[in-house]
Amino acid sequence: MKECNRIIESIEHFYGHLEILPSGRLGLCSIEYKEAVESRKDEIKDFCAKILGTEK
C-alpha cells in the first residue's frame, strides 16, 4: 500500500496545480489481472457510491 499511496499522492499533487479536488482515495494493490478484482468488488462499489453520494 505504501507504493500505491505514493502514486496517489503524486496524482493529488498534480491535481493541486490544476485546482482539481480529488473526490476520494482507493488503492487497489496486488490487482494485476481482472480476475483479482472480484474479491475487491464490494470495496470498489462502496467507494464509487461514496464519491457519487449514493451510499446507503
Side-chain angles (χ1 to χ4, degrees):
M1 193 61 198
K2 185 177 178 180
E3 184 178 356
C4 288
N5 280 333
R6 286 183 53 136
I7 293 167
I8 292 169
E9 288 167 1
S10 293
I11 292 168
E12 289 175 343
H13 173 80
F14 287 105
Y15 276 7
H17 291 292
L18 300 170
E19 299 180 8
I20 297 171
L21 295 175
S23 55
R25 280 183 164 208
L26 178 64
L28 296 174
C29 296
S30 302
I31 302 289
E32 295 183 31
Y33 303 101
K34 64 181 180 180
E35 294 80 14
V37 174
E38 188 64 36
S39 65
R40 307 277 304 270
K41 198 179 206 177
D42 289 336
E43 180 184 0
I44 295 166
K45 286 181 178 181
D46 290 345
F47 176 78
C48 292
K50 181 181 175 187
I51 64 173
L52 293 172
T54 58
E55 70 252 46
K56 298 174 185 170

